[in-house]
Amino acid sequence: MSRSCSILGAPIQTGASQPGCLMGPASLRTAGLGKTLADLGWSVRDLGDLSIAPQQAMSHTNAAIHDLAETRAWIEVLASAAFDAARDHDFPIFMGGDHSMAAGTVAGLARHAAGQGRPLFILWLDAHPDLHTLATTESGNLHGTPVAYFTGEPGFETYPPLSHAVDPRNICMMGIRSVDPAEHELILRSGIEVHDMRAIDETGVLPPLRAFLERVRAANGMLHLSFDVDFLDPDIAPAVGTTVPGGATFREAHLIMETLCDSGLVTSLDLVELNPFLDERGRTAKLMCDLTASLFGRRVLDRMTRSY
């Protein structure tokens, strides 16, 4: 694995149901993400935060949808920035921001992977599959649409054109425990690999993760990890607006990150849905930094006792 990385903030909250995610990148910096990685021997370049210009409102036949123009603008900015970051930097880390940002980051990374002649694989750690189209979302919260968009589902004419779609069969979702009927239908039809929390309870995290990593390796794929705070149990990670009980434990999450590190296959990372307004003395931001450290090579014997 390369020893240099970049961090790029995407203070986007227009896809979420409540404000606060725009403070996510600042919270991760305050929690010491850059220093944590530097202490592990990585060369870290902070590329700052992205922004968009004020937008003129866009309407949609689905009246529930809100902030469509802003979300479209963010996708355009993020797709371009993600492509540039993947091209120019060894390991880009995108700090959110709500999960609608993945519509942009994955679109840009898929374009980059295609230019390298390699398939892009996605490990989606989330309580939700985020597989709504603009027609099926009932909440109108566009953080529920990125996977449908970047896999090339129809109905996204108001989103930016997608240059390279991700093959749904190259996606593995873990930790899923809140699925709407329209999303369930799309999962069955698309071939996305889904391991919900019942499956993880039955098998543990390692068998499905190792099997997926073998597929990535066999295909010489590039692997993007998209990590939503609500993948974690809210008892250990309260700083998210979409809490769902029964999430991953502290050790399950670290084991996943340590195993990913051992594989040497991960090439980029999203950290999304961190809402510092809902946090408790920064504990979720610190946990996300610690989990990222496990992905970047920290081991149990490297950890110091922490007083919260």
Side-chain angles (χ1 to χ4, degrees):
M1 185 179 286
S2 169
R3 302 301 294 182
S4 64
C5 64
S6 62
I7 57 176
L8 178 63
I12 172 175
Q13 65 180 16
T14 50
S17 60
Q18 56 183 299
C21 281
L22 64 80
M23 298 184 288
S27 182
L28 289 168
R29 289 188 178 97
T30 302
L33 179 61
K35 183 179 184 303
T36 296
L37 300 179
D39 288 346
L40 291 170
W42 287 76
S43 174
V44 182
R45 183 177 180 187
D46 192 334
L47 303 177
D49 286 350
L50 298 170
S51 63
I52 61 169
Q55 301 293 308
Q56 184 172 353
M58 295 175 62
S59 61
H60 193 273
T61 53
N62 182 348
I65 290 174
H66 60 87
D67 297 302
L68 178 58
E70 289 77 10
T71 301
R72 177 190 168 91
W74 272 113
I75 294 171
E76 288 181 331
V77 166
L78 280 159
S80 176
F83 175 81
D84 291 345
R87 179 193 61 199
D88 300 336
H89 303 282
D90 293 321
F91 195 123
I93 301 171
F94 306 102
M95 306 179 297
D98 71 64
H99 219 161
S100 66
M101 65 180 270
T105 57
V106 174
L109 294 168
R111 178 185 161 207
H112 172 70
Q116 301 297 305
R118 301 172 66 187
L120 181 66
F121 286 75
I122 310 292
L123 179 59
W124 192 263
L125 302 182
D126 197 329
H128 311 86
D130 294 345
L131 266 169
H132 276 293
T133 68
L134 300 187
T136 64
T137 175
E138 296 181 3
S139 69
N141 300 327
L142 296 179
H143 65 178
T145 64
V147 179
Y149 168 68
F150 65 62
T151 53
E153 283 296 312
F156 287 96
E157 291 78 13
T158 50
Y159 275 18
L162 190 65
S163 65
H164 295 85
V166 175
D167 186 337
R169 295 168 297 181
N170 289 354
I171 300 172
C172 176
M173 296 183 170
M174 298 183 70
I176 302 298
R177 54 196 189 277
S178 177
V179 183
D180 292 333
E183 294 177 303
H184 184 255
E185 180 182 340
L186 187 51
I187 287 170
L188 296 177
R189 176 166 56 82
S190 67
I192 292 174
E193 180 181 344
V194 176
H195 302 277
D196 61 14
M197 285 308 298
R198 173 175 175 171
I200 289 175
D201 287 342
E202 292 175 349
T203 69
V205 297
L206 283 183
L209 179 59
R210 285 174 172 162
F212 179 65
L213 292 175
E214 283 306 309
R215 291 209 291 124
V216 177
R217 192 183 306 280
N220 189 32
M222 305 181 78
L223 176 57
H224 177 65
L225 171 59
S226 201
F227 194 121
D228 189 314
V229 172
D230 71 18
F231 168 71
L232 303 166
D233 192 271
D235 283 347
I236 62 169
V240 64
T242 52
T243 55
V244 184
T249 66
F250 178 91
R251 273 309 310 155
E252 286 172 332
H254 273 292
L255 181 57
I256 288 171
M257 301 303 255
E258 291 162 359
T259 303
L260 290 170
C261 177
D262 292 344
S263 77
L265 293 171
V266 182
T267 52
S268 51
L269 171 66
D270 290 333
L271 299 171
V272 305
E273 294 287 350
L274 176 64
N275 188 332
F277 189 74
L278 304 175
D279 211 354
E280 300 169 358
R281 301 176 61 188
R283 63 185 292 216
T284 308
K286 293 173 184 175
L287 176 56
M288 294 298 281
C289 288
D290 284 345
L291 290 168
T292 304
S294 287
L295 176 64
F296 278 73
R298 182 192 280 172
R299 290 294 178 263
V300 172
L301 294 179
D302 299 327
R303 295 196 185 99
M304 298 177 64
T305 300
R306 171 176 286 154
S307 175
Y308 287 96

